[in-house]
Amino acid sequence: MPEDRTEQPHIVTCTAPVNIAVIKYWGKRNEDIILPINSSLSVTLHQDQLKTTTTVATSRSFQEDRIWLNGKEEDITHPRLQSCLREIRRLARKRRNDGDSGVDSASLSHKVHICSVNNFPTAAGLASSAAGFACLVYSLARVFGVEGELSGIARQGSGSACRSMYGGFVQWIMGNKEDGKDSLAQQVEPETHWPELRILVLVASAERKPVGSTSGMQTSVKTSCLLKHRAESVVPGRMVEMTEAIRKKDFAAFAELTMKDSNQFHATCLDTYPPIFYLNHVSQQIISLVHRYNKHYGETRVAYTFDAGPNAVIFTLQQHVPEFVHMVQYFFPPETNGADFIKGLPVNCASLSEELKQGIGLEPMPKGINYIISTKVFTHIYPHKQLLQHCIIGLL
Ligand code: DP6
């Protein structure tokens, strides 16, 4: 008699990266299947610093689908979770019917238990939903034996999640079909393309954002004519320019477009009625610091971008990291000046000249920034051998 393996849970663990948009997605033309009003482009960050880890198990003994996020059971009936589960199961069934031997027929009829954790604060404007849904879709696909293009499913969990399915530099092409079949993510350049590029996440506040991106963009679509103008007349040209700047590794062009696009996104938030404020006084001080720093050197060495929260994401080249980090430390004196202020990739020591400090001419803002995460561009999602230990109780 062949052994009945279906009693044993089938378990898969994967990790997924965070992505930061340099051409922002803001606004949907279809809320149900998440279709955007403009294309967008992002950079995938290194998972050593920022990642979601998800374990998915299927078993004949499970009574219902269940999910735990950061150790707490959440409502699996959430429509976006349901869309992802339904689409992966549909794809698996289709492949099995087409004769794909990789699809695990037994587990197709089984319920799933899902367990997901982030190694960074949730809902602090650090794109946790992007890494979360990308990881969920990828892990579900692995557990059911489905391969191929999955960004269209991740998109239905959270728009920006489709871009976390790929590494390096990634565009989300808005598409124009009603069924969304052409609204997919695509790699523009791999992570090996621009190894000198560095990213610093300046964590200004780890609190939950006041207006979530989903409801924020809904109000913007309804009320902001600036957003309509941006989507129709500004973003198409910027997508071309940004792709070109990345291809040529032209930092000045990349940086300028990144800053302008972040500023325009926040301008559309201000043009929303009632207005939405994601930037706070620390964010504004960071913007001034970056512009003054670039002006001091007479070249664009550093760029900022902000999502739906006050944390800044800084882009720069490797050789400027030590000085810029020490500038941030000088102008935002932390509570403790220890190693805790700088997390992630090690940052070499640098001294700041009096001339530079004077040239910047800003008043230091004590404790404005909690810490910096130093990171770089990275590759895509991948499966892991180990099980996510601390949520095994929920899973089995
Ligand atoms: C400001 O992808 O979180 O980060 O599709 O409603 O889940 P939903 O929104 P989400 O929006 C991200 C908006 C942004 C810009 C971006 O990442 O492009």
Side-chain angles (χ1 to χ4, degrees), residues 120-138:
F120 56 93
T122 304
L126 282 176
S128 58
S129 67
F133 275 105
C135 209
L136 171 78
V137 167
Y138 192 76

Side-chain angles (χ1 to χ4, degrees), residues 21 25-26 28 80 129 158-160 163 213-214 217 265 307:
Y25 146 56
W26 197 252
K28 299 181 184 68
R80 289 177 173 201
S129 67
S158 180
S160 53
R163 299 186 311 238
S213 18
T214 306
M217 66 176 85
F265 154 52
D307 281 340

Side-chain angles (χ1 to χ4, degrees), residues 65-372:
D65 292 335
R66 294 173 75 183
I67 187 163
W68 290 259
L69 299 182
N70 292 315
K72 189 171 160 274
E73 184 157 14
E74 300 285 343
D75 184 8
I76 192 85
T77 65
H78 191 288
R80 289 177 173 201
L81 283 171
Q82 287 298 317
S83 299
C84 295
L85 278 161
R86 189 185 55 240
E87 290 307 309
I88 290 287
R89 283 182 168 133
R90 197 209 311 269
L91 208 57
R93 233 169 265 123
K94 185 176 176 305
R95 298 222 170 176
R96 184 199 52 193
N97 296 344
D98 291 348
D100 184 339
S101 57
V103 174
D104 188 343
S105 288
S107 56
L108 244 177
S109 58
H110 296 166
K111 299 295 180 193
V112 293
H113 283 186
I114 303 156
C115 207
S116 193
V117 290
N118 295 330
N119 67 347
F120 56 93
T122 304
L126 282 176
S128 58
S129 67
F133 275 105
C135 209
L136 171 78
V137 167
Y138 192 76
S139 314
L140 283 171
R142 301 280 309 191
V143 97
F144 289 122
V146 172
E147 280 169 6
E149 181 15 79
L150 297 168
S151 74
I153 303 181
R155 188 201 73 225
Q156 296 180 53
S158 180
S160 53
C162 69
R163 299 186 311 238
S164 273
M165 300 300 283
Y166 296 96
F169 302 83
V170 183
Q171 61 174 331
W172 172 12
I173 300 166
M174 65 178 285
N176 47 38
K177 289 190 180 156
E178 296 248 315
D179 64 5
K181 289 261 160 39
D182 56 351
S183 188
L184 302 171
Q186 199 179 67
Q187 190 176 64
V188 173
E189 295 288 348
E191 69 280 4
T192 47
H193 173 69
W194 202 349
E196 306 80 20
L197 194 67
R198 285 288 178 279
I199 297 120
L200 303 165
V201 184
L202 310 189
V203 180
S205 150
E207 281 148 35
R208 289 187 86 85
K209 52 195 169 193
V211 182
S213 18
T214 306
S215 73
M217 66 176 85
Q218 255 166 15
T219 321
S220 298
V221 168
K222 274 192 214 125
T223 62
S224 169
C225 48
L226 178 58
L227 181 65
K228 190 169 153 50
H229 167 71
R230 163 181 164 74
E232 286 170 5
S233 310
V234 182
V235 173
R238 282 193 179 165
M239 287 293 292
V240 176
E241 283 174 56
M242 185 57 95
T243 310
E244 197 53 17
I246 292 169
R247 193 187 61 77
K248 293 201 295 218
K249 296 195 266 183
D250 178 345
F251 185 79
F254 168 82
E256 195 173 308
L257 262 177
T258 297
M259 292 188 276
K260 285 184 171 170
D261 204 71
S262 171
N263 294 341
Q264 190 175 71
F265 154 52
H266 290 279
T268 66
C269 291
L270 201 60
D271 189 48
T272 298
Y273 192 79
I276 308 168
F277 307 98
Y278 288 122
L279 306 181
N280 63 17
H281 60 293
V282 176
S283 323
Q284 282 156 11
Q285 182 89 344
I286 293 165
I287 292 174
S288 299
L289 183 66
V290 168
H291 285 293
R292 287 172 189 225
Y293 184 74
N294 288 339
K295 190 163 174 221
H296 178 84
Y297 284 108
E299 64 174 5
T300 312
R301 293 189 173 185
V302 177
Y304 54 78
T305 186
F306 297 83
D307 281 340
N311 298 330
V313 176
I314 300 288
F315 288 96
T316 189
L317 296 174
Q318 200 172 357
Q319 72 259 35
H320 304 311
V321 168
E323 188 178 76
F324 189 75
V325 164
H326 286 87
M327 275 243 309
V328 172
Q329 208 157 1
Y330 177 80
F331 286 103
F332 296 92
E335 218 157 7
T336 51
N337 238 331
D340 275 1
F341 187 63
I342 305 163
K343 302 180 198 293
L345 294 176
V347 174
N348 291 336
C349 286
S351 57
L352 301 181
S353 68
E354 278 310 313
E355 190 209 343
L356 175 61
K357 289 182 205 163
Q358 300 285 321
I360 298 292
L362 284 172
E363 267 303 302
M365 193 185 263
K367 292 183 252 173
I369 291 174
N370 290 347
Y371 56 92
I372 301 177

